[in-house]
């Protein structure tokens, strides 16, 4: 959504300004000179006619500057970020097993997220500078200086309407918001790679130390018989005529067996 707002507010922009040239000879005046421009802001290709206040002759002028590179770069990054976000959402929902297989999906996702974070910062900064230049190039007071009629004090040149740049300002804001969003998402994608959890695991030596300390405490498995009973060295068992099990040590049967 943030990517959509970014390229829509910039790529869909069209604006204009209006100027007024009041010549000393009123019949030569032009009070409504409309100049329209739009994305990608190749202003040097925006032409308009202005009176010279010297008869009916009019001069053909154009705005100054070409700011298409920064604008198109910004919109391109926004479009690709939108497409990647859409594709990633589909993978997260429907291909989660494939995504986690061999840790390849999280690794690619992590690298792409870092790259897009950097590109959002660069493109937003470039477009912010480009927008500042566009505002200067389309300032009505600056455009009036291009007209020869306005260099004569007998003629009155006035700005009638300035271009509205609110949507372009919004595009710059969304550009930096996208940078914050993608940069913050680096941490969450990093956790998906498994590098975060592997760094918190106990080393193998710790388990070996715990096992050795357990055996040193006198709980050796060799002291227990296969049936779970405790076997004393040098003893064996025998069943008497009553079905009772008797134990005999090295020196003979027990006292109870002697009584029998």
């Amino acid at each position: 959504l943030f990517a959509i707002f970014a390229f829509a507010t910039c790529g869909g922009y069209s604006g204009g300004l209006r100027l007024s040239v009041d010549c000393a000879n009123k019949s030569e005046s032009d009070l409504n000179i409309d100049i329209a421009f739009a994305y990608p802001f190749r202003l040097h290709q925006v032409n308009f006619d202005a009176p010279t206040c010297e008869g009916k002759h009019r001069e053909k002028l154009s705005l100054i500057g070409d700011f298409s590179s920064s604008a198109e770069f910004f919109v391109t990054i926004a479009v690709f970020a939108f497409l990647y976000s859409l594709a990633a959402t589909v993978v997260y929902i429907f291909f989660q097993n494939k995504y986690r297989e061999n840790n390849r999906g999280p690794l690619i996702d992590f690298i792409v997220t870092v790259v897009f974070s950097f590109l959002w910062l660069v493109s937003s900064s470039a477009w912010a500078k480009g927008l500042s230049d566009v505002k200067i190039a389309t300032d009505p007071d600056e455009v009036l200086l291009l007209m020869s009629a306005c260099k004569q004090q007998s003629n009155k040149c006035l700005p009638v309407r300035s271009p509205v740049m609110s949507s372009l300002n919004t595009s710059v804001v969304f550009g930096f918001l996208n940078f914050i969003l993608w940069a913050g998402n680096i941490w969450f994608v990093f956790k998906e790679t498994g590098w975060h959890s592997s760094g918190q695991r106990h080393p193998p030596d710790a388990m070996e130390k715990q096992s050795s300390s357990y055996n040193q405490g006198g709980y050796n498995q060799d002291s227990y018989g296969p049936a779970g009973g405790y076997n004393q060295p040098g003893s064996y068992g025998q069943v008497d005529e009553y079905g009772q099990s008797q134990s005999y040590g090295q020196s003979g049967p027990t006292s109870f067996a002697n009584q029998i």
Side-chain angles (χ1 to χ4, degrees):
L1 291 177
F2 276 67
I4 292 174
F5 291 143
F7 70 74
T9 51
C10 178
Y13 177 83
S14 61
L17 63 151
R18 178 175 295 177
L19 306 174
S20 172
V21 177
D22 189 6
C23 301
N25 186 357
K26 302 298 182 182
S27 60
E28 301 173 354
S29 302
D30 190 347
L31 303 181
N32 293 304
I33 303 174
D34 291 320
I35 305 174
F37 61 95
Y39 173 86
F41 307 105
R42 293 187 177 92
L43 301 183
H44 66 286
Q45 297 179 355
V46 177
N47 301 318
F48 62 96
D49 295 332
T52 59
C53 294
E54 295 177 356
K56 297 296 183 178
H57 178 69
R58 299 175 69 89
E59 59 181 349
K60 189 174 184 179
L61 302 173
S62 62
L63 299 179
I64 298 176
D66 182 5
F67 310 101
S68 59
S69 58
S70 59
E72 290 176 340
F73 178 49
F74 178 79
V75 172
T76 300
I77 297 302
V79 171
F80 277 105
F82 163 71
L83 294 177
Y84 179 78
S85 300
L86 190 61
T89 303
V90 174
V91 172
Y92 294 157
I93 297 175
F94 299 104
F95 302 99
Q96 187 65 227
N97 294 333
K98 276 289 186 181
Y99 175 78
R100 297 183 180 276
E101 184 177 355
N102 298 328
N103 202 34
R104 185 176 302 174
L107 180 60
I108 296 175
D109 199 10
F110 175 76
I111 296 174
V112 174
T113 302
V114 172
V115 171
F116 265 114
S117 300
F118 174 74
L119 292 177
W120 271 119
L121 177 61
V122 174
S123 62
S124 299
S125 301
W127 171 230
K129 177 61 170 61
L131 177 58
S132 177
D133 295 337
V134 169
K135 290 180 178 180
I136 295 175
T138 57
D139 185 1
D141 293 328
E142 295 293 330
V143 177
L144 288 174
L145 297 178
L146 301 176
M147 303 180 183
S148 59
C150 297
K151 298 177 182 179
Q152 302 175 10
Q153 296 182 353
S154 59
N155 303 321
K156 295 181 180 180
C157 300
L158 299 174
V160 178
R161 186 183 68 233
S162 299
V164 179
M165 300 287 190
S166 57
S167 63
L168 296 180
N169 295 331
T170 304
S171 67
V172 174
V173 173
F174 273 109
F176 285 106
L177 286 177
N178 273 285
F179 162 69
I180 297 174
L181 182 66
W182 283 77
N185 197 41
I186 293 177
W187 168 249
F188 298 99
V189 181
F190 173 73
K191 293 173 65 177
E192 292 291 331
T193 59
W195 296 337
H196 174 262
S197 58
S198 62
Q200 294 181 346
R201 293 176 182 173
H202 296 288
D205 296 341
M207 298 301 295
E208 295 178 359
K209 291 180 180 179
Q210 292 180 359
S211 177
S212 61
S213 62
Y214 182 79
N215 292 332
Q216 292 175 0
Y219 297 96
N220 198 331
Q221 293 181 353
D222 295 339
S223 62
Y224 292 87
Y230 187 82
N231 295 331
Q232 295 181 354
S235 64
Y236 61 94
Q238 180 177 336
V239 179
D240 58 9
E241 65 271 22
Y242 298 101
Q244 302 292 331
S245 176
Q246 304 299 328
S247 299
Y248 292 86
Q250 293 178 350
S251 60
T254 60
S255 59
F256 180 76
N258 290 332
Q259 294 176 3
I260 296 176

